[in-house]
Amino acid sequence: MICCLNPHCTQPNHATQAAVCPTCGTPLERRLRGRYRPLKLIGRGGFGRTYFALDTDRLNSRCVIKQFAPQTQGTKSFLKAVQLFEQEAVRLHELGEHPQIPTLLAYFEQNKYLYLVQQMIQGRTLYQEIAAQAAYSEGSLRQLLEDLLPVLHFIHQHGVIHRDITPSNIIRRKADQKPVLIDFGVAKQFSEAIRYEPGTRIGTEGYAPIEQLRSGQAYPSSDLYSLGASCLHLLTGRKPEDLYSPQEGRWLWQEYLQKQGRTIHPGLAAVLNCMTKDLVSERYQSAQDVLDDLQRLPKLEGAVPGWVSSQASPSLFTGLDRPPLSGPGQRAGVAVPITSLPTAAEMAGPLSGPVSGPASGQPASGPQPPPPNVRGTGYPHAHPPGSRSPQPSGPPKPSGSPQPSGSSKLDHGSATVLGGGWQLIQTLVGHQSWVTAVAFAPQQPLLVSGSLDDSLRIWNWQSGDLLHSLRGHARGVNDVAIDQRGQLMVSCGDDATVKIWDVGSGTLRHTLKGHLRDVTAIALGSTNCLASASEDGTLKLWNPSQGSLTKTLPGSAGMLKTVALVSGDQRLVSGGLDNTVRLWDAQTAQATRVFAGHTNTVNQVAVSPDGRLMASASKDRTVRLWDLSTGDLRHTLQGHTQEVNTVAFFPNGQRLVSGSSDGTLRLWQSQTGTLEATLPAHINPVHQVAIQCSGGVIASASADKTIKLWQWQG
């Protein structure tokens, strides 16, 4: 397979070994500069084309070739273009030292065309994210700013102004979920030597500030304006031109958020407003100024790695290409979005292996520490229902528990007994991002896990065998549960859906839609009842066997993080960003009690098997035990050094276990609030815990991409 490099060829992609292009008759270049094999046209713009290629001198590693074919007139103009191209190549070479800017691999002129060879970035643009998913949360937006502003500070320090920052020019790198700034638009530096095609502008309408659109002038604050306008698009889901009133001369994005029933912190709103001022003199003058103001704000909920679906649209690359913008914001000279990459068979030669480094798209090895402000470091979990016969006072060792097998799926822990008789027996590995949810089946040795890699995995936890790897959620999985018979599994995720699966076959039975934003938690009852909680502030009750909605509860004033059903399924409890827990009557859809006391977000709630006690885990680093019948606070459990993300009762109700961002599990006496044991479980945050129906095994899910199994050896 080879590609025609004639910039005017209408059908350049061919599965041919001929000497000339079958479409236009141009001689085919087998290798540019004797090493780069152009395989496929993947994008085109006003100044040239972008090709997917292999670097034969680097073990056929994948790269991107940008071809510039300016419509110049006269030798002098062309030589000037070459001079500016070389200057820009040197500039990109310097900028390529930054890990969030594509690396320049080569630059040259051949056959009167100019070429840049750059590192390939695998991932999706933020434009594709917002087109396919819900709008960004406040925390996700702030995390994006904190990730991108240092990049802008870096390029501005090098005397470079991007001049076209839009969601289409930011790729979330698949390997580590970091935003990468692409398309520094070498052609934008050719204004002295190239005639722009009719309608082509320096910058994208809606995102570019007025000084760029009127006179072509740009300053560091111009890039900050474009980044701010991009943030407004991501926050609201609407393009900037829909959020600005020319008649009033002001932005209307906050009014739009209010119509959605959403608000953001006034300090963050002030930062965005200052970034998007019309007058250059009224804006921030440097990226560092913006960062300084952001760091003065209270800690906010942030974004999470793995937000992007690992099986959504084909990987994108740095280049001239970008998704077409519909409507008045569409830019001239941009053609079609990137098409799919050629298969190995189409390449007429196998690859020697994946590209090394962060652009390879391979999962980063080792545990991934969370960013400073992460959204939902504790994803809620409904304690998996199951037959819970009374247990002795201490968690017994299950009879006939097998020894860990030698399966490659297991990374056996130390045999050292930790935390008062609890021993690490296995570590299940395989997820490519944070493991956010875990649940045991009540009657079989099955464990289900969910991750921000958008997948669910069903394991035989005794042998460590992976039975099913399920993909159905378009975005990260937040919670999982298995019914009492062990036949149905339910999951929810950031794609605003709840999905019901057959445990035995792994087939998808129902997809439940109705929530407007991320579904953060689910709870399965004993009477064909399913409850879900969402960032849209509502609770919904479903019939899981029919896949139908039965009732919507108004929730609370803020986003909900957790839900649990009380015995009998006639009541349920919820918690979230308003720092309270609410008890609901499922029939009347009314809140009958509010439990106030936490000083920060409630990440998860759990109800004791007898329905008498409720435990709430909070970002304020405590677990609180409440009497459900009276509303009295029984105990405040303190000891975790970071926020508590998850809590679960043992089947006998006499103990509970909590997991925290400090990486530990803590076991407590529910009657006295006494700390019994501390397990140094993970080096990264613990997102969720589950307890096997015998009470003798605990599973912990973590941001280190693993599930660890702990067994009582006392």
Side-chain angles (χ1 to χ4, degrees), residues 642-664:
Q642 296 185 44
E643 66 179 293
V644 188
N645 301 320
T646 179
V647 64
F649 280 96
F650 280 79
N652 61 9
Q654 297 180 15
R655 287 174 173 78
L656 65 156
V657 60
S658 58
S660 166
S661 289
D662 63 17
T664 68

Side-chain angles (χ1 to χ4, degrees), residues 283-482:
R283 285 182 223 140
Y284 287 105
Q285 297 302 300
S286 75
Q288 189 59 53
D289 291 340
V290 188
L291 274 172
D292 290 344
D293 278 359
L294 282 176
Q295 291 168 359
R296 294 186 185 102
L297 298 178
K299 294 298 181 183
L300 298 174
E301 303 293 317
V304 292
W307 193 90
V308 180
S309 171
S310 60
Q311 59 171 3
S313 59
S315 297
L316 299 185
F317 316 99
T318 175
L320 294 172
D321 46 87
R322 67 197 66 201
L325 303 179
S326 60
Q330 184 167 359
R331 214 176 59 158
V334 178
V336 295
I338 290 178
T339 55
S340 60
L341 285 178
T343 63
E346 292 172 326
M347 292 178 187
L351 295 176
S352 300
V355 180
S356 62
S360 66
Q362 300 300 316
S365 60
Q368 302 297 308
N373 307 303
V374 290
R375 182 185 66 78
T377 48
Y379 280 88
H381 167 65
H383 191 79
S387 55
R388 292 172 173 145
S389 56
Q391 302 291 327
S393 59
K397 179 178 179 179
S399 60
S401 294
Q403 295 302 312
S405 73
S407 167
S408 62
K409 302 172 184 63
L410 301 179
D411 176 16
H412 299 301
S414 166
T416 304
V417 174
L418 303 172
W422 289 95
Q423 177 183 348
L424 175 63
I425 57 171
Q426 305 182 357
T427 300
L428 303 178
V429 298
H431 280 296
Q432 303 304 307
S433 187
W434 298 2
V435 187
T436 51
V438 66
F440 283 100
Q443 300 173 11
Q444 306 173 66
L446 297 181
L447 179 77
V448 59
S449 59
S451 166
L452 295 186
D453 64 11
D454 312 338
S455 76
L456 297 157
R457 291 178 178 241
I458 300 178
W459 314 79
N460 182 317
W461 63 265
Q462 291 180 343
S463 66
D465 290 329
L466 177 62
L467 305 180
H468 297 290
S469 183
L470 309 179
R471 290 193 175 274
H473 285 283
R475 286 172 58 187
V477 178
N478 290 335
D479 202 3
V480 294
I482 300 179

Side-chain angles (χ1 to χ4, degrees), residues 195-230:
R195 294 187 311 173
Y196 290 97
E197 294 185 358
T200 303
R201 295 170 179 258
I202 301 176
T204 301
E205 187 173 352
Y207 303 94
I210 192 169
E211 66 270 14
Q212 280 187 217
L213 297 178
R214 282 186 175 176
S215 63
Q217 298 180 18
Y219 313 93
S221 62
S222 305
D223 279 349
L224 297 176
Y225 180 99
S226 298
L227 178 58
S230 298

Side-chain angles (χ1 to χ4, degrees), residues 123-146:
R124 289 202 302 176
T125 66
L126 301 192
Y127 182 90
Q128 287 191 315
E129 283 188 355
I130 198 64
Q133 320 293 348
Y136 273 38
S137 67
E138 177 181 352
S140 299
L141 188 74
R142 177 166 170 181
Q143 187 64 54
L144 178 69
L145 283 169
E146 292 177 348

Side-chain angles (χ1 to χ4, degrees), residues 99-112:
Q100 287 167 262
I101 297 173
T103 301
L104 176 73
L105 302 178
Y107 65 95
F108 52 88
E109 180 268 332
Q110 185 168 326
N111 296 332
K112 296 186 179 180

